[in-house]
């Protein structure tokens, strides 16, 4: 036990060091971790043999990725994802997460069966693994390049949802596919029922637990305790859902969205929000660093290079299936530029979840070694080749934000919000009687000057860049319309207005939102 703990600390030190160097060099750290991990795995480095032997055990890798790191990564991502970002982009997100994932699954499965010569169940299990996306490195590149936040929200929203869908398809393919195929159309119906049961079962468990813990946060103003609440929520949602054979991934995603939006609004003080986000930021950074280093180490264990022709064909098949999924599912979505679709296509990277699921197959499963080898090849190509080329592609397609005045606007708006928040907190402290009048007035005047300075900067920017003012006005108008929509829903829930009136009002507001989005 002591030796294992030392190995874990060594792994953590390696991952942290590589991440720190990659960030200092302004390079995507997940790709750096995979490359260095693969080099460590290939080279006979004295002192690391025990570490490599420990990590590449199937049980260790699978348990770490699925049971420890996956709830952390899903919870952290959903916790800080504003619901209005998902609402604003719900059509492309839902199209990619459900229609796109299904198209990718069917296309990759059929092509693998036809051209790789895999048995039909093996082909569709492999296809289910390739349907999940993991755009961590892509999103970090987006942030550094100032890419439109809507594109980031679409790709992140798709990834969170399609992980759950892909896991459900993996379960159905690996356990029930042959049985359902023998039953014909009855099997198709049973497969559809199983899919809906697993998905909506996860939604139900995540929803119930999220509302329960959201109300718990109202009873306490104790951020260490509320951080623990969030840990229990994410891991509890995952393991309870898995116990009842429904989707733990979807349960965590739903729980995180509700807790991070509704729970934060009704029960968390600013201090609690800050500390919860800080805790999960650290946890996610740790998990991501360890995950990608482990992937690099694990890749070198698989004796797959003798199958290089099949691996190249598998990579091509997955790229074709992804293209069919993106362009097919987004064909009916308006106001989504072809450049965005190209980025979403090439940026749909495969990650650790695909490898962990492949390793979870029982050793008796037909074609297990082929699935593992092909999955590792695709993941390695995806993270290294696609990951390193996404930045030049973003620049070439011109989706990088280059609007004049954006940086100055963000500085001014940050100063305004910081100062307003500090002034509100100062007023609260004064009302509690915890501060003298003299100190209050001095600090209040100081923050008022900062607020005036921010407003003055904004007015100057709007005069200099009229397009910036128009864009910000449309953005605020959309937020206000979402608030109107929520108000109508609350009136309907409280039976103050009829369902028919609520429907009419909602449709009117949604039409206005669509008009504003078109103008934008």
């Amino acid at each position: 036990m002591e030796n294992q703990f030392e190995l874990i600390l060594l792994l953590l030190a390696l991952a942290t060091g590589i991440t720190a160097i990659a960030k200092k060099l302004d390079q995507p750290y997940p790709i750096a971790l995979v490359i260095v991990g693969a080099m460590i795995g290939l080279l006979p480095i004295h002192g690391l043999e025990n570490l490599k032997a420990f990590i590449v055990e199937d049980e260790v890798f699978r348990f770490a990725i699925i049971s420890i790191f996956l709830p952390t990564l899903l919870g952290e991502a959903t916790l800080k994802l504003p619901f209005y970002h998902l609402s604003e982009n719900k059509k492309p997100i839902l199209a990619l997460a459900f229609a796109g994932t299904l198209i990718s699954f069917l296309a990759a499965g059929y092509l693998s069966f036809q051209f790789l010569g895999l048995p039909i169940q093996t082909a569709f299990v492999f296809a289910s693994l390739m349907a999940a996306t993991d755009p961590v490195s892509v999103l970090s590149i987006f942030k550094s390049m100032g890419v439109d936040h809507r594109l980031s929200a679409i790709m992140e929203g798709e990834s969170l949802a399609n992980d759950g869908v892909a896991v459900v398809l993996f379960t159905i393919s690996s356990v029930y596919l042959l049985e359902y195929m023998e039953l014909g159309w009855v099997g198709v119906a049973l497969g559809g029922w199983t899919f809906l049961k697993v998905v909506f079962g996860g939604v139900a468990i995540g929803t119930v637990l999220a509302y329960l813990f959201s109300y718990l946060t109202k009873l306490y103003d104790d951020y260490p305790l509320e951080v623990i609440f969030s840990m229990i929520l994410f891991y509890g949602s995952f393991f309870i859902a898995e116990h009842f054979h429904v989707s733990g991934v979807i349960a965590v995603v739903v729980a995180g969205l509700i807790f991070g939006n509704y729970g934060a609004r009704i029960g968390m003080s600013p201090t609690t929000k800050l500390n919860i986000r800080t805790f999960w930021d650290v946890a996610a950074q740790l998990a991501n660093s360890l995950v990608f280093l482990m992937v690099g180490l694990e890749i070198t264990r698989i004796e797959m290079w003798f199958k290089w022709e099949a691996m190249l064909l598998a990579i091509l098949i997955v790229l074709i299936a992804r293209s069919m999924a993106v362009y097919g599912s987004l064909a009916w979505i308006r106001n989504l530029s072809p450049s965005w679709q190209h980025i979403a296509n090439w940026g749909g990277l495969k990650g650790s979840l695909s490898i962990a699921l492949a390793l979870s197959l029982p050793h008796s499963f037909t074609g297990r070694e082929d699935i593992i080898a092909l999955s590792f090849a695709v993941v390695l190509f995806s993270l290294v080749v696609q990951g390193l080329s996404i930045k030049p592609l973003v620049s070439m397609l011109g989706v990088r934000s280059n609007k004049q005045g954006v940086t100055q606007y963000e500085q001014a708006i940050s100063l305004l919000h910081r100062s307003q928040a500090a002034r509100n907190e100062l007023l609260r402290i004064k009302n509690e009687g915890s501060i003298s009048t003299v100190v209050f007035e001095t600090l209040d005047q100081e923050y008022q000057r900062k607020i005036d300075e921010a407003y003055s900067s904004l007015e100057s920017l709007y005069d200099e860049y009229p397009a910036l003012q128009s864009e910000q006005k449309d953005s605020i108008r959309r937020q206000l319309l979402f608030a109107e929509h929520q108000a109508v829903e609350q009136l309907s829930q409280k039976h103050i207005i009829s369902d028919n009136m609520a429907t009419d009002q909602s449709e009117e507001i949604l039409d206005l939102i669509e008009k504003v989005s078109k103008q934008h």
Side-chain angles (χ1 to χ4, degrees), residues 215-240:
Y215 282 110
L216 266 179
T217 60
K218 290 182 67 175
L219 304 178
Y220 301 92
D221 186 14
D222 184 343
Y223 75 80
L225 183 61
E226 291 173 88
V227 169
I228 296 173
F229 285 163
S230 67
M231 294 175 64
I232 296 172
L233 171 62
F234 295 153
Y235 282 95
S237 298
F238 184 82
F239 287 112
I240 290 172

Side-chain angles (χ1 to χ4, degrees), residues 322-335:
R322 175 65 181 176
S323 298
M324 293 174 65
V326 171
Y327 300 123
S329 62
L330 296 179
W332 310 106
I333 305 296
R334 293 176 292 178
N335 304 320

